[in-house]
Amino acid sequence: MNKPIIYLISDSLGETAEKVIKSALLQFGNHREYELVREPYINDKEKINHLLLTIARENAIVGYTLVNPDLRQYIKRRSVELELEAIDILGPMLEAMERMFQKKPRLKPGLSHQLDEAYFKRVEAIEFAVKYDDGRDPRGIEQADIVLVGVSRTSKTPLSQYLALKSFKVANVPIVPEVEPPKELYQTDPSKCIGLKINAKKLNDIRKERLKALGLKASANYAQTERIEKELHYFEGVVKALGCPVIDVSNKAVEETANLILQLQMLR
């Protein structure tokens, strides 16, 4: 027995129709029991008529997402003439919204797939955060909207990524007593720098867990109280020299710290 065929006609990619129809098909079995045929970028009556004749010969059904009301009406009329089962997926919602908003729709296909300026800005910010993570390239400090400064395990990288999703370009600089911070850090606007402070006990616990996850001994110097206190003392000197705001992240989730940083940015 031949599989039932379902055609998807769209004036764009047809992804909307496919998602809706697949959701409905889940109620009737698995994907082996039917065939889906997607027909994208259909925007004139001649193409529609040709498709409908094919669908009628194959005894298939059709679902369609077309923003043009004339084309929707054409499919509706021709499907009745050809005794086809045709489902208008988008039309009734557009018509209801037109009545509610008392406004004509834009009637432009593919709007959900357009990549707007905000999208590109967010992608650029994410790429920036990766490129200038963990002090890899100090040249990013001047270009950044926000510069995070802190010792290891103060959530600099997760914060950078979280803020990047808000379209902020973020660089972060690790503070290590044996390594002088880059000169660019002292040359940039201190108001865009944020020191990430943490208490020694909390940092000790976090670093021990990190060592465990890496399969290393918790007694390593990285998690020793003396070493941690040395790093934190050095960090205090750096942020004091910078004159930048400092946030205590000891008992804060990444989202909470990020919101505080965003508030500081608004004050700028």
Side-chain angles (χ1 to χ4, degrees):
M1 181 180 176
N2 293 332
K3 293 180 184 178
I5 303 174
I6 302 166
Y7 278 79
L8 315 176
I9 297 178
S10 174
D11 48 20
S12 184
L13 290 171
E15 289 181 348
T16 300
E18 184 169 352
K19 286 176 183 176
V20 172
I21 288 174
K22 280 186 173 179
S23 294
L25 284 168
L26 288 173
Q27 307 298 321
F28 297 94
N30 62 49
H31 64 88
R32 295 183 182 87
E33 296 176 346
Y34 55 83
E35 181 182 349
L36 286 179
V37 180
R38 193 196 288 191
E39 297 288 348
Y41 303 113
I42 302 300
N43 52 21
D44 65 63
K45 293 179 181 179
E46 186 178 344
K47 288 180 182 178
I48 289 173
N49 187 55
H50 177 74
L51 275 172
L52 293 180
L53 289 170
T54 300
I55 294 166
R57 285 195 299 270
E58 295 181 354
N59 198 29
I61 68 171
V62 59
Y64 56 98
T65 50
L66 300 169
V67 296
N68 187 314
D70 290 337
L71 296 182
R72 292 203 306 271
Q73 285 299 318
Y74 181 75
I75 287 189
K76 187 175 181 180
R77 178 173 58 79
R78 282 295 286 148
S79 61
V80 169
E81 292 170 357
L82 296 169
E83 298 182 351
L84 275 175
E85 190 76 57
I87 304 100
D88 185 352
I89 295 170
L90 193 60
M93 183 62 74
L94 281 173
E95 291 164 3
M97 287 182 173
E98 182 177 347
R99 291 191 295 272
M100 181 175 69
F101 296 130
Q102 296 186 343
K103 180 180 178 182
K104 291 286 184 184
R106 294 165 68 180
L107 302 180
K108 187 175 180 181
L111 288 178
S112 62
H113 301 288
Q114 286 190 349
L115 304 180
D116 58 15
E117 186 179 346
Y119 172 85
F120 285 113
K121 188 176 179 183
R122 189 162 60 250
V123 169
E124 185 181 3
I126 292 168
E127 290 174 347
F128 187 95
V130 171
K131 184 176 181 180
Y132 298 108
D133 183 46
D134 208 29
R136 287 177 190 164
D137 186 345
R139 291 174 297 180
I141 292 172
E142 188 58 39
Q143 301 170 43
D145 301 314
I146 301 169
V147 181
L148 303 178
V149 181
V151 301
S152 175
R153 311 315 294 175
T154 48
S155 298
K156 297 186 300 298
T157 297
L159 277 167
S160 296
Q161 291 293 331
Y162 186 94
L163 292 165
L165 290 171
K166 305 289 185 183
S167 300
F168 287 93
K169 291 181 180 178
V170 185
N172 70 73
V173 180
I175 300 301
V176 184
E178 293 78 15
V179 181
E180 184 72 22
K183 66 181 186 301
E184 290 86 352
L185 186 61
Y186 295 102
Q187 293 169 352
T188 197
D189 179 359
S191 69
K192 75 177 185 180
C193 297
I194 307 290
L196 303 176
K197 179 181 177 180
I198 190 169
N199 70 54
K201 175 67 172 64
K202 181 70 174 178
L203 185 56
N204 179 262
D205 292 340
I206 292 171
R207 288 190 175 182
K208 281 181 178 178
E209 288 301 316
R210 177 60 175 163
L211 289 170
K212 257 191 233 178
L214 294 172
L216 302 173
K217 292 181 180 179
S219 58
N221 186 47
Y222 178 69
Q224 291 297 304
T225 302
E226 185 179 346
R227 170 65 190 183
I228 286 172
E229 288 177 347
K230 180 180 179 181
E231 288 186 33
L232 293 178
H233 178 73
Y234 185 68
F235 163 80
E236 292 288 349
V238 170
V239 293
K240 185 176 180 181
L242 288 173
C244 67
V246 176
I247 296 174
D248 190 337
V249 301
S250 302
N251 297 299
K252 290 183 176 65
V254 168
E255 294 85 354
E256 188 179 358
T257 304
N259 286 334
L260 291 172
I261 292 170
L262 293 174
Q263 288 174 28
L264 289 171
Q265 289 302 299
M266 289 175 67
L267 292 175
R268 285 181 66 199

